[in-house]
Structures are given as C-alpha cells and as structure tokens.
Amino acid sequence: MTDIPHILEEVIPADRISRDEPMSAHTTMRVGGAADVFVRIASAGELGEAIRLLRSAGEAYVVVGRGSNLIVSDRGYRGTVLCTSGSFAGISCRESEDGKVYLKADAGTLLGALASYACERELTGLEFAAGIPGTVGGAVRMNAGAYGSETADLVASVSLLSPDGSLTATDAAGMDFAYRHSRVSESGEIVTDCTFVMTRGDRQAIIARMEELAKARRDKQPLEYPSSGSTWKRPEGHFAAKLLEEAGCKGLRVGDAQISEKHSGFIINRGSATASDILKLMRMAEDRVFEASGVRLTPEVEFIGMEGDDR
Ligand SMILES: Cc1cc2nc3c(=O)[nH]c(=O)nc-3n(C[C@H](O)[C@H](O)[C@H](O)COP(=O)(O)OP(=O)(O)OC[C@H]3O[C@@H](n4cnc5c(N)ncnc54)[C@H](O)[C@@H]3O)c2cc1C
C-alpha cells in the first residue's frame, strides 16, 4: 500500500501531517469520521506540490477551510484532506495610484480576522463577513453572503490552482458568481488567495455595523450549538426557514440532530449527532416541505465522504 504521509513529507513538514484524523474536530457541526490523511497547508506552493504528489500516487484528495459548511460522513474520508484554515493565512494591503485600496488574503485566512484587519485600517465593506465562521477560500467558493452583501461584491481578483497544477488569476466576472455559487463549485479549481477592493470608511461606523450584525446573529441564530449555518439554500421567491416552519419541521429531531427551534433553517447538533442523523433529518424535512408547499429545498451545506445513496 502507498504510504501517503511518507510521500507528502517530501514537501510538507511531518508535524503538519496526521493519519486517521477525526473530521469532527475540523467541522463546526462536530460530526464526521476519520480522514485517512490530514494535512495542514501553509502556502500555495505546498498546496500545489501536495496535489502534484497525490495525483501521481492516484490518491483522492479534497481541500477544506474551516469546515463551517461541511457534513463529513461518519465513515470519514478515504483519501487526503488538505486543510487551509488558520495555517495558510496572511493579509496584505496596498493602495493603487488611483486611490483604491486592496486587501489580499490567503485562502486559509479566517473571515473574522480579515474583517478586523479591514476595520483597523478604516476600510469598509467586509462588515457582513465578520460573523461568518469560514475562510476566504471557502467564502469565495460559496460566494458567502449575509445581510444584503456577498463576497462577490468586493472581489477584485482570485488566484486559482487548477487540477493540472497551473496557477491562474481571474477577476470577479470570470468567477461566474451567483447565489452561493462560483465557477470553483464545478471546475475543481482551488482558491489560493483573493484580492478585495475596499472603500475608505469611518472606524466607529464600521465597529457599530459589526456589533449590530453580531447582535442580530445572536438574537436569531442558535450560535450556542454546533451547526453548519443555514442547511438549505434560499429557494427563489421563498425563505427556507419559513417553509420549514409552515411544514411543521421546527424542533424535528433524529437522534441528536435537530431543526433548531430558534431558526428553522439551521440543523443543530445537540451533543452526539452523527452525519447519518443529519442526512435522515434533512431528507425528512425536504419531503415534508415538498408535500406542504411543492418547493424542493436544496442543501447549502456540502458533503464529503458520502457514497451512493447517502445523499
Ligand atoms: C454559525 C454559522 C453561521 C454561518 N453564517 C453564514 C452566512 O451568514 N452566510 C454564508 O454564506 N455562510 C454562512 N455560514 C456557512 C459557512 O461559514 C460559509 O459557507 C463559509 O464560507 C465556508 O467557509 P469554510 O472555510 O468553512 O469552508 P468549508 O466548509 O471548509 O468548505 C466549503 C466548501 O468549499 C470548499 N473549499 C474550501 N476551501 C477551498 C479553497 N481554498 N478552494 C476551493 N474550494 C474550497 C470545500 O471543499 C467545500 O466544498 C455559516 C456557518 C455557521 C456554522
């Protein structure tokens, strides 16, 4: 059998490579079995080299950020998880001759850290992102958004690593952004960094907006429990949470997975939920909503390690 950690040690220090790593420790939902190999990536160069080695060994791999939009199978992942969160993080700021200010952030930079960095420099635009517990790479891929703003609004350019190892850069138009979608969702490309174009603002106003949005989240969202945020996308012309409530799904439970009583759009983990509980609950809720309203909810969360009829 190929010894993948041994191969990867050619380009990544051994202390950032682990075997049989429980993915429940790397997802905000706190579910998921073990990944065969788990690597903490620290740079675009490492990412490119690791993928080159994994591809030539015929090993499956997936890139993850903070795991805040992920449900990982209870069986885990048969392959290598390349994780950017926290370890592949850096932010720089530059001003162009025409007075525009740009923030460039590595893929594993946490959105909260980026929003704080912008605030310290009196740059407005990223207030909406302060409470989204993901990375820049995950946010670009998902076109993460909240309270009327989304990632795409601020993107000046994105650096992408394609499966064949080539690095390209594209502007926002080339990213094919749509609601919770970017071209990366289909292309298999990996975001290595993103440059955001910012507007000068007032520090106190930025802080006030971030506090206002943080309060709105605390009031409306079940932040006291592990979750993956909104489980389903907003169907056109509807609100998922309202449809779920009208279909009698509020509080519905399978094992320790529950449709939150505070916000029906969230599935929460009340302690020892499994991925299988969550999937069963999702199917149950989707069927109830369809029967009650004729609307078929589609997941916003993404899945790793699922097979055949899991989903
Ligand atoms: C409490 C809570 C509140 C939330 N609120 C919001 C919200 O208001 N708005 C919103 O949009 N989302 C929200 N989310 C969901 C989530 O935080 C976002 O979707 C976030 O952008 C995901 O980033 P991540 O780093 O955690 O990605 P992950 O969950 O790690 O990955 C998500 C997907 O992106 C892929 N991916 C990760 N990194 C890269 C990369 N560098 N290149 C290519 N693909 C990559 C993964 O393979 C996976 O398919 C919330 C989640 C929680 C738990």
Side-chain angles (χ1 to χ4, degrees), residues 53-115:
L53 292 171
L54 291 167
R55 284 172 68 87
S56 60
E59 171 82 348
Y61 65 88
V62 63
V63 175
V64 305
R66 177 65 191 86
S68 64
N69 203 41
L70 280 184
I71 308 295
V72 180
S73 161
D74 299 319
R75 290 184 298 271
Y77 181 67
R78 301 290 70 79
T80 297
V81 172
L82 302 166
C83 178
T84 65
S85 179
S87 48
F88 176 18
I91 309 171
S92 60
C93 182
R94 90 181 151 82
E95 190 169 341
S96 65
E97 280 172 8
D98 59 4
K100 285 191 177 148
V101 187
Y102 296 92
L103 290 185
K104 183 175 180 181
D106 289 333
T109 308
L110 292 172
L111 292 173
L114 181 63

Side-chain angles (χ1 to χ4, degrees), residues 16-43:
R16 284 197 272 113
I17 305 174
S18 44
R19 294 176 199 262
D20 299 324
E21 178 77 11
M23 288 303 292
S24 53
H26 301 282
T27 56
T28 55
M29 186 58 108
R30 300 270 167 223
V31 302
D36 288 345
V37 181
F38 184 90
V39 182
R40 286 177 179 77
I41 292 292
S43 68

Side-chain angles (χ1 to χ4, degrees), residues 157-170:
S157 67
V158 180
S159 302
L160 296 165
L161 182 66
S162 63
D164 69 8
S166 58
L167 263 175
T168 52
T170 181

Side-chain angles (χ1 to χ4, degrees), residues 26 28-29 47 62-70 84-85 107-108 110-111 128 131-147 180 184 189-192 217 221 223 225 227-230 266 300 302-304:
H26 301 282
T28 55
M29 186 58 108
L47 199 51
V62 63
V63 175
V64 305
R66 177 65 191 86
S68 64
N69 203 41
L70 280 184
T84 65
S85 179
L110 292 172
L111 292 173
F128 80 94
I132 302 179
T135 62
V136 164
V140 171
R141 167 167 168 143
M142 303 301 304
N143 187 17
Y147 303 106
R180 300 296 174 268
V184 174
E189 291 164 304
I190 292 156
V191 176
T192 57
R217 280 184 188 273
Q221 300 180 358
L223 302 182
Y225 288 102
S227 80
S228 307
S230 297
F266 279 54
E300 178 168 322
E302 307 237 326
F303 304 94
I304 288 184

Side-chain angles (χ1 to χ4, degrees), residues 91-96 98-104 114-129 151 153-156 194-201 206 210:
I91 309 171
S92 60
C93 182
R94 90 181 151 82
E95 190 169 341
S96 65
D98 59 4
K100 285 191 177 148
V101 187
Y102 296 92
L103 290 185
K104 183 175 180 181
L114 181 63
S116 301
Y117 182 102
C119 176
E120 274 162 33
R121 281 155 189 80
E122 304 206 74
L123 300 172
T124 181
L126 279 164
E127 293 87 330
F128 80 94
T151 306
D153 300 339
L154 297 170
V155 168
C194 178
T195 300
F196 299 89
V197 60
M198 306 296 296
T199 306
R200 289 198 188 282
I206 295 169
M210 291 195 334

